[in-house]
Amino acid sequence: MVTAWLILFAPLAAAIAILLVAIHRPRLASTLAIAGLGTSFAATVWWFLQALHQPMLLPSETSVNWISLPNLTIPFGILLDQLSLLMALVVTGVGSAIFIYSTGYMAGDAAYSRFFGVLSLFAFSMLTIVLSTNWIELFMGWELVGFCSYLLIGHWYAKPSAADAGKKAFMVNRVADFGFLLGILALWAASGATPAERTFHFHTLQLRLPLLAHAGTIAAGTLPVIGVLIFCGPMGKSAQFPLHVWLPDAMEGPTPVSALIHAATMVAAGVYLLCRAFWLFEGVPQVLTLIAWVGGLTAFLSAGLALVENDLKRILAYSTLSQLGYMVMALGLGGRVAGMYHLTTHAFFKALLFLAAGSVIHGTHEQDIHKLGGLWRSMRWTSLLFLIGALALAGFPGLSGFFSKEEILVLAHEHSAPLYWIGTLTAGLTAFYIGRAWCVAFLGHPHADSHSGHGAAHESPPVMLIPLALLALLSLSAGYVGIPRFLGEHAEEFHWGVAIISLIVVGLGLGLAWLIYYRRAISAQQLAHALALPHTLLQHRYYIDDAYTWYVETIQQRLIAGLCAWIERALIIGLFVNGIAWLTQTAGRVLRRLQTGVVQTYALVFLLGILALLSRVFAW
């Protein structure tokens, strides 16, 4: 099991080494980071090959005691099964490509070494989630991922929008993680009658909770509540509506960070968690229904937002939101393997798209699609590789995205007609918005006010293009390597009716984008004017950000914070602090007047006291 520990701790060792010896040596820092994650990738591939030849090798678990308290022992360990091994391959494989790409993209950055140090810590945090054996270990990795994302999104912290985006991602996820933590604690409390019997261990909980529920030891409404609370975590990390607002703003970070967050780490963590705890949700069908509808609505609404976005990276961010919605919808419909299948293929083509967008930014210093245009002539390799990723995202036949998305649509067709049509319509919107981005940025002409000058655009160096080529190869081939079979299930039987309708919708989306944005047969401006109401709604992001802003400024700042400030000023400071001080000061003044220093006054007071006593005696 030494190689299993190597998967987890090699990136952490790289992060520590960068901090100690390479913080002022950029080349050494990037070398250490790539070597650390490359070692993890090699160890993961070794385990994967061993598992293919010896299927009985999985699951494999090893751990050491981490926290030992009376009636509470929490181990720190590594669980390798089909699910965690596949996810570790995605994290280390795609992550390694992004690390290598970053050496070219971040060249000359003032905080180059810090960037690679945090990037290595980020990889360790994600691997902690993937390989954990219990909820506490997973939650530690979960929070470390949130912390690293804050550092990486705000890498250029002197830029106000980047600093604000980092804080926004951190705060939105803290709201979700509060519910997630309550769910973990409730799960532990429900796992036994006494603290000594309770556990956070995944496998033990999976065996014990159904038995307790069947025996009536757990109240009927407990597991649904726990399921909803646990789902709060994925809603934040995987940016499901209405907690999606942090993800588009996260584009303020360096593009390799965007690729890592969107493809292999942070947003994938929520979907992975749903897969890991799927046994829990299977027992509460009403929670699965909630999950399915949250995912379906996220997929559709996010695709709508991408239709009116002009920033290339934000278009891809909204596409990530939409594809995550597909995955969550699949899990809600009972398709654990379908959701994981799409997570895997999506990691390849979304990393490809983001890194290709980074290549565009590197070569033009521009990311507004209307200020680009004509990149096909000046950046042929980047353009071709972006096109492969775009077609995979759109679900073009034969590419990896087609196979995994069809699995989800077939699943929806069998279980929920409304969600099937929502998913199908979303597929058409996806083809349209990615077709729009391609036609405008790579085939069209830049606006006259553009100062970027597509003629001055230059192709990226090989250190950036080679990782793109590898990801393009995976985007082309991942649908043929039997991912569902590795996870223990056969792929859904090919459904010609679903496939034909899907292809028609995707073809319409791509064709309409071609007619509007390349052939100019239909005026985009006139179309936006004709659809003024939905266009305005989309431009304002459904007013959800505005609603949050109003809530923060009105409810939190003016009402709650204002009430707290009044209580502090009027009661705590005014009444208690200043009141006690005034009382003490007044009592001192009164007592001071009694201490006059005049003997006659003291004699008079003494005489009056004697007379008072005598009067009481005679009265008695």
Side-chain angles (χ1 to χ4, degrees), residues 359-379:
S359 180
V360 169
I361 296 168
H362 183 269
T364 64
H365 304 289
E366 182 58 68
Q367 56 195 69
D368 186 327
I369 59 173
H370 291 295
K371 294 181 179 179
L372 292 168
L375 294 178
W376 177 255
R377 293 185 292 275
S378 54
M379 301 181 71

Side-chain angles (χ1 to χ4, degrees), residues 267-291:
V267 298
V271 177
Y272 175 81
L273 172 64
L274 291 176
C275 293
R276 174 58 69 198
F278 191 70
W279 58 269
L280 171 64
F281 298 105
E282 275 187 314
V284 280
Q286 61 269 50
V287 178
L288 279 180
T289 301
L290 171 67
I291 291 172

Side-chain angles (χ1 to χ4, degrees), residues 303-314:
L305 293 174
L307 298 176
V308 299
E309 183 59 63
N310 295 324
D311 185 290
L312 184 58
K313 285 177 65 177
R314 282 181 174 265

Side-chain angles (χ1 to χ4, degrees), residues 557-570:
Q557 293 181 0
R558 295 179 186 174
L559 295 182
I560 299 176
L563 178 62
C564 291
W566 179 84
I567 291 173
E568 180 185 20
R569 288 193 305 268

Side-chain angles (χ1 to χ4, degrees), residues 142 180 229-240 269-271 273-274:
W142 194 268
F180 181 37
L229 289 173
I230 293 292
F231 181 54
C232 287
M235 281 188 70
K237 280 288 187 291
S238 292
Q240 298 297 288
V271 177
L273 172 64
L274 291 176

Side-chain angles (χ1 to χ4, degrees), residues 489-535:
E489 288 187 15
H490 292 290
E492 292 283 345
E493 186 176 344
F494 192 79
H495 194 297
W496 280 104
V498 171
I500 290 172
I501 292 174
S502 176
L503 290 176
I504 290 173
V505 170
V506 168
L508 287 173
L510 291 173
L512 194 58
W514 176 268
L515 287 174
I516 295 174
Y517 296 102
Y518 181 72
R519 301 297 298 175
R520 307 295 175 96
I522 303 172
S523 170
Q525 289 76 15
Q526 291 180 359
L527 191 61
H529 182 72
L531 301 172
L533 184 60
H535 187 265

